[in-house]
Amino acid sequence: MALQASSVLPSALSLHKEQGKLLDTGFLGVSLTDHHLKSDFSPLALKCKRESNQRNKSLGPIKAQTTATTLGVNSATGEGKKTLRKGTVIITGASSGLGLATAKALAETGKWHVIMACRDFLKTERAAKSVGLSKENYTVMHLDLSSLDSVRQFVDNFRRSERPLDVLVCNAAVYQPTAKEPSFTADGFELSVGTNHLGHFLLSRLLLGDLTKSDYPSKRLIIVGSITGNTNTLAGNVPPKANLGDLRGMAGGLNGLNSSSMIDGGEFDGAKAYKDSKVCNMLTMQEFHKRYHEETGITFASLYPGCIATTGLFREHIPLFRLLFPPFQKYITKGYVSEEESGKRLAQVVSEPSLTKSGVYWSWNNNSASFENQLSQEASDEEKARKVWEVSEKLVGLV
Ligand code: NDP
Ligand code: PMR
């Protein structure tokens, strides 16, 4: 049986000590010297990425930039001055953590109206107040990603608001590391993949036309990914590892009845289901880019915002994990970022003119400088991206 590192961090560490294998197999069975593993922050990787970033800055955004002077602008008063109109951004899961911090970072610029697309209205209103959002900068709209009906209803409601859609951020997620049995969405899909991937897949497919219509200078669709879905990193090699296999469970509907609840057809594992869902998120971004970037001019992007070890994502983890995870990330892996910093990062991907390149998985180095990161083999597998897309569109009823 695979070592369940996610079940409890310190005991996972001591297990290897007891077995005397720490030196042989490295940290949690992951060899630290394995040349296949690339730290996100390796100086060489950073240098290459910065160079390609520079190249792309000069080439990539031309199309979007040239439209900036004519589109998405308001003609201001008598002087004939033109200003960029306020952008509208939908952020799913904006009631806490990364989503809330991003809503705050964008709203306080005064340049964005944030649609907080959330399942709990009251919680979201309270959260908005707690971070000082002012009323004219946000609207709460109901969205439960674990129900395809709710996704469709959200899209209808949003259209009725008659706001343009300039940026969509697929951020919401659930993580069930301690669940012994799978739970399911309203449509019968395993909950993590159903919510984190399938709900967002339907949402973004339905809203693609709305984004395309936007006259904003740089319209974007952003799907939040993670390091833990990327097996070319140390974090991505902590068991259980992401692996979509041949998608047999997904093709069977992830319902745990006539098919497995896991994408690869294996036994249920909540931590793996989450990581698999993040691989789907990152593959979906690339498939969107391949199919629609040229035609629509939309920037499709994903990101790893850093390890925001204090968020509600870990609410179902055991208390000891929640206690030790933040200091572990702060002082040992040094991968920790505050919610505020992570919000600034995602806000950059939403609005920075320098981050208009499409098809990119963004990360940040220890100085908080963004760079184009490399996805694992599986998370950048074109054939898998196509298959995930095709199976997903069947599951959500688009074909
Ligand atoms: P939080 O738990 O703080 O935020 C998750 C949000 O998703 C909450 O607003 C939650 O709503 C919402 N949500 C959950 N289920 C649904 C649903 N069915 N319908 C609508 N909304 C739902 O976690 P984070 O801020 O950490 O996570 C945000 C994103 O960041 C996720 O995509 C995660 O994968 C990613 N990420 C997080 C990292 C971290 O270290 N924390 C690292 C890398 C990526 P509610 O408040 O109602 O529960
Ligand atoms: Mg990880 C550079 C090392 C690094 C980073 C950046 C993360 C991020 N983690 C790292 C290393 C390790 N983690 C190591 C060596 C271990 C073994 C002790 C370890 C363990 C661990 C656990 C048990 N880590 C975890 C868990 C979780 O339950 C979290 C998870 O997988 O959630 C899906 C998690 C995470 N580690 C991260 C990040 C960003 C997470 C959580 C969030 C996410 O990917 O969305």
Side-chain angles (χ1 to χ4, degrees):
M1 206 184 86
L3 175 62
Q4 294 292 306
S6 55
S7 59
V8 49
L9 190 147
S11 67
L13 277 171
S14 60
L15 180 67
H16 276 273
K17 275 198 196 126
E18 276 162 27
Q19 293 174 337
K21 282 183 183 166
L22 198 58
L23 288 176
D24 295 338
T25 58
F27 210 36
L28 263 172
V30 180
S31 164
L32 296 173
T33 56
D34 186 335
H35 65 278
H36 295 298
L37 302 183
K38 267 198 222 107
S39 160
D40 277 4
F41 309 121
S42 89
L44 181 63
L46 267 179
K47 184 170 179 285
C48 299
K49 290 297 159 196
R50 269 205 211 104
E51 282 165 4
S52 77
N53 219 346
Q54 288 307 327
R55 276 199 304 277
N56 296 322
K57 269 183 199 164
S58 53
L59 295 174
I62 290 173
K63 192 171 173 187
Q65 300 289 321
T66 48
T67 55
T69 49
T70 53
L71 297 174
V73 292
N74 285 329
S75 293
T77 53
E79 290 141 40
K81 240 184 170 183
K82 290 188 170 179
T83 54
L84 190 63
R85 69 166 165 77
K86 208 167 179 175
T88 301
V89 53
I90 296 177
I91 305 178
T92 69
S95 57
S96 70
L98 176 61
L100 180 62
T102 308
K104 180 176 190 285
L106 290 169
E108 54 189 30
T109 64
K111 294 177 183 161
W112 291 92
H113 187 86
V114 183
I115 308 287
M116 303 173 83
C118 297
R119 60 178 166 177
D120 185 334
F121 190 88
L122 197 61
K123 178 177 177 183
T124 311
E125 273 295 348
R126 285 195 179 126
K129 284 218 173 67
S130 76
V131 298
L133 298 194
S134 44
K135 280 228 173 310
E136 69 276 14
N137 291 336
Y138 77 93
T139 305
V140 179
M141 287 181 68
H142 185 260
L143 168 65
D144 182 351
L145 286 156
S146 68
S147 154
L148 299 179
D149 271 352
S150 172
V151 172
R152 290 183 180 280
Q153 213 152 53
F154 170 82
V155 171
D156 285 349
N157 289 343
F158 174 72
R159 287 185 185 146
R160 267 198 284 273
S161 78
E162 294 187 1
R163 286 185 183 275
L165 177 59
D166 305 316
V167 179
L168 169 62
V169 181
C170 297
N171 162 75
V174 284
Y175 174 41
Q176 301 193 295
T178 55
K180 299 267 178 286
E181 299 289 335
S183 38
F184 296 93
T185 67
D187 306 274
F189 309 126
E190 185 283 317
L191 191 70
S192 334
V193 174
T195 305
N196 308 356
H197 166 59
L198 291 171
H200 279 135
F201 181 79
L202 179 62
L203 180 71
S204 42
R205 285 288 301 274
L206 294 178
L207 288 173
L208 187 70
D210 303 70
L211 269 176
T212 307
K213 277 191 271 171
S214 155
D215 64 351
Y216 205 69
S218 176
K219 41 206 187 193
R220 309 184 190 187
L221 196 171
I222 300 155
I223 308 177
V224 178
S226 180
I227 195 171
T228 52
N230 277 297
T231 50
N232 57 340
T233 63
L234 174 57
N237 274 277
V238 174
K241 293 197 223 175
N243 180 4
L244 308 187
D246 62 4
L247 307 184
R248 68 180 64 182
M250 192 181 210
L254 296 170
N255 54 29
L257 292 170
N258 46 1
S259 88
S260 159
S261 59
M262 299 293 289
I263 294 180
D264 65 357
E267 248 178 65
F268 173 72
D269 182 320
K272 181 174 183 298
Y274 170 87
K275 294 175 190 179
D276 289 350
S277 77
K278 290 284 118 186
V279 176
C280 291
N281 285 153
M282 295 179 281
L283 289 173
T284 301
M285 176 281 286
Q286 292 162 90
E287 191 65 16
F288 262 118
H289 168 71
K290 193 167 149 190
R291 289 178 186 239
Y292 294 108
H293 173 63
E294 250 183 56
E295 184 189 319
T296 63
I298 297 170
T299 295
F300 299 97
S302 185
L303 69 150
Y304 166 58
C307 186
I308 331 157
T310 51
T311 72
L313 194 67
F314 311 105
R315 66 187 94 176
E316 291 186 34
H317 228 312
I318 58 165
L320 189 58
F321 176 90
R322 281 187 271 127
L323 180 73
L324 295 178
F325 192 52
F328 172 68
Q329 291 294 344
K330 246 183 221 171
Y331 304 113
I332 300 180
T333 74
K334 312 251 194 260
Y336 174 87
V337 286
S338 65
E339 296 185 21
E340 189 185 6
E341 172 59 24
S342 70
K344 286 184 187 155
R345 291 178 177 184
L346 179 47
Q348 284 172 28
V349 185
V350 169
S351 67
E352 275 282 313
S354 59
L355 304 191
T356 46
K357 190 177 176 201
S358 185
V360 175
Y361 166 64
W362 296 104
S363 295
W364 285 259
N365 65 21
N366 289 338
N367 299 321
S368 269
S370 57
F371 66 97
E372 279 176 47
N373 206 344
Q374 209 157 22
L375 292 158
S376 69
Q377 201 176 9
E378 179 170 54
S380 55
D381 180 332
E382 289 192 27
E383 186 53 20
K384 227 168 232 191
R386 186 182 60 78
K387 278 195 192 150
V388 166
W389 180 278
E390 288 172 359
V391 174
S392 302
E393 60 185 3
K394 282 196 189 114
L395 294 181
V396 302
L398 286 170
V399 290

